[in-house]
Amino acid sequence: MADILSDLNPPQREAVTAPPGPLLVLAGAGSGKTRVLTRRIAWMLTELGAHPGSIAGVTFTNKAAEEMRSRVATLVGFPGRAIYLHTFHALGARLLREFGSAIGLPPSFVILDEDDSLSLVRDRLKAHPRGGDVPGGPEGIREAISLAKSRGESPAGVRAREGGIYEDLLSEIYDSYEKTRVRLSAADFDDLILLPTRLINEYPEVRDELRDRIRHVLVDEYQDTNPAQYAFLKALVGPGRDLTCVGDPDQSIYRWRGADIRIILEFERNFPDAKVITMEQNYRSTGLILEAASAMIAHNRERRPKKLWTAAGAGRPPVFYQALDEIDEARFVAESLVLLRAHDGPGDAAVLYRTHAQSRALEEEMARRGLKYAVAGGIKFYARREVKDALAYLRLVFNPADIISLKRALAAPPRGVGEATLAKIAASAEESGRPVMEILADPPLLGALPSRPRQALAGFLELVRGLERKLASDGYSTALDMALEKSGYLPWLDDRKPGEADDRKDNLRELFAAVKTAEESGISLGEFLERAALMSEMDKLEDREGAVILMTLHNAKGLEFRRVFLAGLEEGLLPHASSLDDPAELEEERRLFYVGLTRARETVVLTAARGRRQYDAFRWSQNSRFLSEIPRATLLEVGAPEALYGESPAPRSPADETPDGNVTRIPEEENGWDDESTPVPGSEVRHHSFGVGRVIGISGRGPRMRVTVAFPRAGLKTFVAGLARLSRVKEAA
DNA sequence: CAGTCCCAATTTTTT
DNA sequence: ATTGGGACTG
């Protein structure tokens, strides 16, 4: 089919048309990997006559899956509903709903998000004799369990691995967590991968059914696959079957979540008959950006060397600005953005940073200037307290064994049922193996309780029964509405924290709208709850016309922008402090920087501050080592936003060089002025790009002091006095 | 049982 | 500074 192949370059075409079998496509940043994946699926459908239901495409976000589906649909001319195009987790959930009863999970199982999972860990810790004070706390245990699961390790495996006191405890908690989880008819995120794998590997009828059904498997972002996902793929694909993996080892940034870069690096070892195709032509960025990124990432040892190239011109080099603090940094970012837009027209832009905490100063600056911005990430919508509270009612109706939701619903609003009562209910449920909601309806248990909790429980039970009826008669959105009305949740919000009540109510309204929309489009309650659990904030990010997007580097994976700002290029931030003692983690930080750089089509602006407010105190910082890994010829240091459009800077003189770095440092004696030698209007100064000019104005004091200089050719320029590379030529008379 | 006060933590978070 | 959990008290 002509349109499937016509506009592809040779390696892309080879990847799309490669015969079935293990195929690894090493797709450098911006080399068209999504294009290859969608075309290959289209190719299978049209040229190989593959049935849509025989293809499974795995992505890392729901959004990516949906985008891929619609692109395939466009290519082949039919909707492609039957293609399995999901995230790993959604695919796993789907298979679990179908086959999970074999391992004790009914189709109505609920998905535990990290929050739920943590409360289950807490609960198990409390039930454990030595669960009082654990190093790392409950969160540490939850992470350890998750990590074990992502490595495919069983509780026994954890104990066997190290066998220390901590591992023993961990193993016991893990074991108890698992038993309880099954009793609750629940699966956590890791289970959505682990359990389908187990089903395929241990139940021949499931394996045969699935392998008969799914004959082609394609995986996106393969560099961030963890061992459990890898095992899932191997189980799904079977020996010698069709598997296409696309990824870029240099963009592997989820090591801390269990992703293992070696899985992609060792693809050929794992699949000896594998075909490997490398795509190195970049269609996204201009030459100097690509050069800077390539040279920087070459400092990593654990990688596969490659050389990206582009047919595009050199473009402008990445720009670096040495900011004073996070406020100055934000100002530079905002001013540059305004200037870039004024000179080169509008275009999408993003400010990327390592940690969410960095967004605040940037947001404030954007707001102050009335620049439209959107912050991506942060607390996920479906993880917000009020949203989870509200959904707890629906989850409880959906899965009467869900103690976690019962607890939540019982406490929001508080109804006089506390820990003691709950422990009795839980014990009774555990003992009888029946769903908690059944226990709640049990007269013997209720009778044995003190009158206050007994009456409260009776009222609660009635509410839930009412919800069940409402759900059956009018659907789940009405039931949700009823839950909020009848539970007294809304009034409780009001008097708890009056300042927050409005925000929370807004979120509840948004939730209700989402629920209603879902229901009206025929989505079942189960599907809705699943979506809510598997939805990420990035899935919701919509393009706000003309808004700069603020987000973490992790969130930027897979995206591209005309203009990219990378803020906070400081030791301790990027690379992050927690990575400094581990070479592997340091390499991951470098990849994170690489991901950031390669998001840009046209403009890269890098900033570092000399110090910034962290928590409550001001800390000094050093510029990131990664900055000095960018070749000098591909990095332009500027002292002010205006310099982005100044005449091309004079070549740097040897005097500017520092012994260690590639980034030009400001020589101390020329480093602006201190309080004793304030520049005087009328004096002459030299700027590295604008030449000699006359100081015509001073504003602000101390570190905020700005100097306005009139240059014969460049006109008026304003600099932060302490940062601009100005040297004195002649004092005012 | 629930509100209040204190202490500790505070990287990233596709799902 | 902020937030959330745990201990403590009424």
Side-chain angles (χ1 to χ4, degrees), chain A residues 593-658:
Chain A
F593 187 28
Y594 179 75
V595 167
L597 284 171
T598 54
R599 296 311 90 196
R601 288 198 296 272
E602 184 184 306
T603 306
V604 169
V605 176
L606 310 171
T607 58
R610 293 209 182 276
R612 65 177 64 234
R613 269 192 107 69
Q614 274 178 324
Y615 311 126
D616 59 340
F618 185 88
R619 321 256 170 120
W620 294 99
S621 28
Q622 299 258 291
N623 283 356
S624 169
R625 68 191 71 188
F626 302 149
L627 274 172
S628 56
E629 293 169 0
I630 296 179
R632 205 173 318 168
T634 62
L635 188 66
L636 169 68
E637 183 171 355
V638 299
E642 291 77 12
L644 288 167
Y645 289 95
E647 35 189 320
S648 64
R652 290 180 190 158
S653 68
D656 287 343
E657 287 179 26
T658 56

Side-chain angles (χ1 to χ4, degrees), chain A residues 291-330:
Chain A
E291 230 175 274
S294 300
M296 194 278 308
I297 197 64
H299 286 81
N300 270 3
R301 298 186 66 86
E302 192 169 42
R303 72 185 289 260
R304 216 172 147 131
K306 64 165 177 283
K307 29 181 197 306
L308 287 183
W309 61 279
T310 175
R316 261 200 307 243
V319 163
F320 172 67
Y321 173 67
Q322 174 67 66
L324 190 70
D325 56 21
E326 78 279 7
I327 296 167
D328 184 42
E329 175 178 64

Side-chain angles (χ1 to χ4, degrees), chain A residues 371-386:
Chain A
L371 293 173
K372 268 202 279 181
Y373 69 93
V375 186
I379 305 160
K380 295 188 192 84
F381 180 74
Y382 285 103
R384 300 214 161 109
R385 179 181 266 125
E386 59 278 17

Side-chain angles (χ1 to χ4, degrees), chain A residues 413-480:
Chain A
R415 340 175 125 68
V417 180
E419 212 164 321
T421 310
L422 222 76
K424 283 181 204 159
I425 299 169
S428 173
E430 187 167 356
E431 204 180 316
S432 65
R434 290 159 56 207
V436 259
M437 284 310 292
E438 271 182 38
I439 302 291
L440 225 57
D442 234 10
L445 177 94
L446 284 181
L449 291 173
S451 83
R452 194 155 68 126
R454 188 175 65 226
Q455 286 177 0
L457 278 178
F460 182 78
L461 187 63
E462 200 181 319
L463 171 65
V464 176
R465 292 282 181 255
L467 292 180
E468 281 167 0
R469 284 191 297 273
K470 203 62 164 177
L471 176 69
S473 61
D474 301 340
Y476 57 86
S477 62
T478 323
L480 176 68

Side-chain angles (χ1 to χ4, degrees), chain A residues 215-267:
Chain A
R215 289 155 184 276
H216 312 277
V217 177
L218 302 96
V219 188
D220 194 9
E221 308 280 13
Y222 188 63
Q223 75 280 358
D224 279 318
T225 304
N226 69 36
Q229 289 164 334
Y230 171 67
F232 178 48
L233 287 175
K234 290 223 0 180
L236 197 59
V237 166
R241 305 289 290 281
D242 192 23
L243 172 69
T244 303
C245 296
V246 182
D248 177 5
D250 287 334
Q251 294 183 61
S252 171
I253 55 175
Y254 282 93
R255 188 186 122 91
W256 50 277
R257 292 282 263 119
D260 189 343
I261 191 174
R262 286 172 304 183
I263 292 174
I264 189 169
L265 291 175
E266 293 171 5
F267 189 85

Side-chain angles (χ1 to χ4, degrees), chain A residues 281-288 309-315 601:
Chain A
Q281 180 173 5
N282 173 294
Y283 294 94
R284 181 184 296 151
S285 314
T286 47
L288 288 169
W309 61 279
T310 175
R601 288 198 296 272

